Amino acid sequence: MSTEEKQARSVFVGNIPHGTTEEQMREICSTVGPVVSFRIVFDRETGNPKGYGFAEYAGKRIFFLD
């Protein structure tokens, strides 16, 4: 799979509360469609979560969430 194809299947998710796990986010995001993976981004220096992450879905989709 090309990088372009993978990016087309990834969705940015912001405002993730501190203490939320990747598994919890995977469950939440799966209400929209089948989630392949979810990755929370961490600060390299402190190891703390930055409050955002990326959901990778099984297929190309367009999402509009309120």
Side-chain angles (χ1 to χ4, degrees):
M1 169 185 341
S2 71
T3 302
E4 186 176 300
E5 289 173 325
K6 191 168 185 172
Q7 288 175 342
R9 298 175 357 174
S10 295
V11 177
F12 172 85
V13 180
N15 296 323
I16 299 173
H18 184 74
T20 304
T21 67
E22 290 180 348
E23 181 60 36
Q24 290 170 322
M25 290 305 302
R26 188 178 295 116
E27 288 178 31
I28 292 167
C29 292
S30 69
T31 61
V32 178
V35 177
V36 174
S37 66
F38 191 93
R39 183 176 60 91
I40 294 176
V41 178
F42 290 87
D43 184 285
R44 289 182 184 178
E45 292 182 21
T46 66
N48 294 327
K50 289 190 166 190
Y52 65 92
F54 297 90
E56 183 182 343
Y57 287 89
K60 293 182 185 179
R61 299 178 188 274
I62 298 175
F63 300 99
F64 297 99
L65 303 176
D66 294 326

